[in-house]
């Protein structure tokens, strides 16, 4: 079968809950433990979920965390160690979003001239947005105290440079080195909402700015099976207000999947169905919805397991995570 990779896309708190429901169902019903993945790719919300997986938190405990249920003793100990502050994140005020745009940076214009085929209008637009004013760096302090500059094997975290809109994959060979906590914060730095994260003098934004999943970063690795959990995409009928966005994200996911398939990978795409879309609502940062999202994602995934969608995974219950350093 070769290597198995897990790709966890962007999606805010409801996206994290969707990841959790899917991965709990795979553990409970298909016997596949996300911690056994050879590579975990995380973007935005997926960077936090992926980090917890690599630190040893399994799917059922991820679901319990999002659904506000009791975790296993081992899961609770890990979560309390690396993210003791789970208070609600403040929402931006309307006035904070109504600020002048940032002028295009020379690096962005230079990149457009040098590599126009790699230019992404959405990522370029994000570099022009004003810096967010909500600083959540204190929430990652416990993670940094726990792991410091240690980095778990097989964890790739996607972020975007603010000066030119280029994607950076922390944890992959050849990429800039960064503390794990800083990389997670960078990947989650939603433009105009959260404060950009500076690493070695460079500012970074949310990895979802480049792509909702960034699964194509695996193209050169030639992975056997790729499981892509994409909370922001889908084709399920739903509200007109987000149906167009979801379909656009779905088309991006299709293009990335085809690129991986052309390299010989089996790609299993997991996107919200009607119940999950309804449970998620329109605001991905609405933490009140996360218990419902977990349940909907779990039910939909169980149905897909029964239909054979995950047959390529086989069944394994071994764990592969690195231990959190003492």
């Amino acid at each position: 079968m070769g290597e198995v990779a897990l790709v966890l896309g962007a999606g805010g708190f409801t996206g994290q809950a969707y990841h959790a429901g899917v991965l709990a169902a795979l553990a409970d019903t298909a016997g596949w433990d996300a911690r056994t993945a050879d590579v975990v790719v995380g973007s935005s919300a997926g960077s936090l979920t992926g980090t917890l997986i690599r630190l040893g938190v399994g799917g059922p405990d991820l679901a319990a965390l999002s659904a506000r249920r009791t975790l296993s003793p081992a899961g609770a100990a890990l979560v309390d160690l690396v993210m003791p502050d789970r208070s609600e994140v403040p929402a931006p005020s309307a006035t904070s979003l109504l600020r002048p745009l940032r002028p295009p940076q020379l690096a962005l214009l230079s990149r457009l001239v040098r590599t126009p085929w790699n230019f992404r209008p959405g990522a370029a637009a994000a570099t022009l947005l004003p810096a967010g004013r909500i600083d959540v760096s204190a929430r990652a302090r416990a993670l940094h105290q726990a792991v410091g500059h240690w980095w778990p094997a097989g964890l790739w975290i996607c972020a975007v440079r603010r000066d030119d809109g280029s994607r950076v994959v922390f944890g992959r060979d050849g990429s800039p080195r960064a503390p794990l906590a800083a990389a997670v914060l960078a990947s989650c730095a939603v433009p105009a909402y959260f404060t950009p994260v500076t690493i070695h003098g460079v500012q970074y934004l949310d990895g979802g700015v480049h792509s909702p999943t960034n699964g194509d970063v695996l193209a050169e690795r030639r992975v056997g099976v790729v499981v892509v959990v994409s909370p922001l995409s889908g084709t399920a009928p739903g509200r007109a207000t987000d149906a167009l966005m979801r379909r656009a994200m779905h088309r991006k996911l299709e293009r990335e999947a085809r690129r991986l398939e052309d390299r010989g990978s089996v790609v299993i795409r997991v996107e919200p169905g009607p119940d999950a879309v309804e449970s998620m609502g329109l605001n991905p940062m609405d933490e009140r919805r996360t218990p419902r999202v977990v349940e909907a994602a779990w039910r939909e995934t169980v149905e897909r397991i029964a239909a054979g969608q995950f047959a390529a995974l086989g069944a394994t219950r071994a764990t592969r995570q690195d231990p959190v350093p003492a």
Side-chain angles (χ1 to χ4, degrees), residues 9 50 53 57 67 70 72 81 95 134 145 147 155 160 162 168 180 189-190 196 204 207 213-214 279 290 297 303 314:
I53 289 169
V57 183
T70 302
S72 71
L81 175 66
T95 55
I134 297 177
Q145 290 172 344
V147 305
L155 176 63
V160 168
R162 191 177 181 224
V168 173
L180 179 58
V190 179
Y204 292 93
T213 57
N214 289 295
S279 299
T290 56
E303 292 172 0

Side-chain angles (χ1 to χ4, degrees), residues 18-198:
Y18 186 75
H19 297 148
V22 170
L23 298 178
L26 286 172
D28 295 340
T29 308
W32 186 73
D33 189 329
R35 295 173 293 182
T36 66
D38 296 280
V39 187
V40 178
V41 178
S43 301
S44 195
S47 72
L48 179 55
T49 303
T51 296
L52 290 173
I53 289 169
R54 273 301 187 243
L55 295 181
V57 183
D61 276 328
L62 291 172
L65 180 63
S66 285
R68 304 185 187 94
R69 299 193 301 258
T70 302
L71 281 70
S72 71
L78 277 170
V79 171
D80 288 342
L81 175 66
V82 300
M83 49 180 298
D85 181 5
R86 300 195 284 276
S87 58
E88 189 170 337
V89 175
S93 65
T95 55
S96 71
L97 299 175
L98 299 175
R99 288 176 287 140
L101 293 176
R102 180 173 179 250
Q105 302 299 292
L106 181 59
L108 176 66
L109 300 176
S110 175
R111 178 170 173 247
L112 174 58
V113 172
R114 288 184 291 105
T115 56
W117 53 88
N118 286 332
F119 189 75
R120 297 209 172 194
T127 70
L128 306 181
L129 294 173
R133 291 179 172 174
I134 297 177
D135 185 352
V136 291
S137 57
R139 298 169 74 93
R141 192 170 295 139
L143 173 60
H144 186 65
Q145 290 172 344
V147 305
H149 289 272
W150 172 82
W151 189 283
L155 176 63
W156 294 1
I157 291 179
C158 300
V160 168
R161 284 200 301 258
R162 191 177 181 224
D163 62 347
D164 66 355
S166 293
R167 177 174 62 192
V168 173
V169 186
F170 294 110
R172 185 172 66 174
D173 289 346
S175 294
R177 296 181 64 84
L180 179 58
V184 172
L185 284 173
S187 187
C188 294
V190 179
Y193 185 177
F194 294 129
T195 304
V197 175
T198 301

Side-chain angles (χ1 to χ4, degrees), residues 67 275-276 278-279 286 288-297 299:
D275 289 346
E278 181 62 32
S279 299
D286 188 350
R288 297 169 299 177
R289 290 180 170 269
T290 56
R292 285 176 284 170
V293 175
V294 169
E295 296 302 324
R299 289 193 305 269

Side-chain angles (χ1 to χ4, degrees), residues 137-324:
S137 57
R139 298 169 74 93
R141 192 170 295 139
L143 173 60
H144 186 65
Q145 290 172 344
V147 305
H149 289 272
W150 172 82
W151 189 283
L155 176 63
W156 294 1
I157 291 179
C158 300
V160 168
R161 284 200 301 258
R162 191 177 181 224
D163 62 347
D164 66 355
S166 293
R167 177 174 62 192
V168 173
V169 186
F170 294 110
R172 185 172 66 174
D173 289 346
S175 294
R177 296 181 64 84
L180 179 58
V184 172
L185 284 173
S187 187
C188 294
V190 179
Y193 185 177
F194 294 129
T195 304
V197 175
T198 301
I199 301 174
H200 303 311
V202 178
Q203 287 191 330
Y204 292 93
L205 298 173
D206 192 305
V209 165
H210 183 89
S211 161
T213 57
N214 289 295
D216 59 326
V217 299
L218 292 164
E220 301 304 319
R221 186 162 175 136
R222 299 179 183 273
V223 177
V225 178
V226 183
V227 180
V228 185
V229 186
S230 179
L232 289 179
S233 64
T235 58
R239 297 164 293 267
T241 43
D242 66 341
L244 288 175
M245 181 274 290
R246 285 190 174 277
R247 287 184 180 275
M249 300 295 187
H250 173 78
R251 288 191 292 271
K252 286 185 178 181
L253 175 57
E254 282 189 319
R255 290 194 293 270
E256 291 180 2
R258 282 196 298 270
R259 185 178 177 195
L260 295 173
E261 289 164 349
D262 289 344
R263 294 279 182 163
S265 298
V266 175
V267 181
I268 302 171
R269 291 176 283 170
V270 189
E271 301 174 273
D275 289 346
V277 168
E278 181 62 32
S279 299
M280 294 169 93
L282 295 176
N283 178 10
M285 303 305 289
D286 188 350
E287 296 181 74
R288 297 169 299 177
R289 290 180 170 269
T290 56
R292 285 176 284 170
V293 175
V294 169
E295 296 302 324
W298 193 92
R299 289 193 305 269
E300 290 179 352
T301 304
V302 168
E303 292 172 0
R304 291 165 178 166
I305 292 169
Q309 181 179 349
F310 297 92
L313 277 176
T316 175
R317 296 181 184 275
T319 58
R320 186 185 171 85
Q321 79 281 0
D322 293 335
V324 178

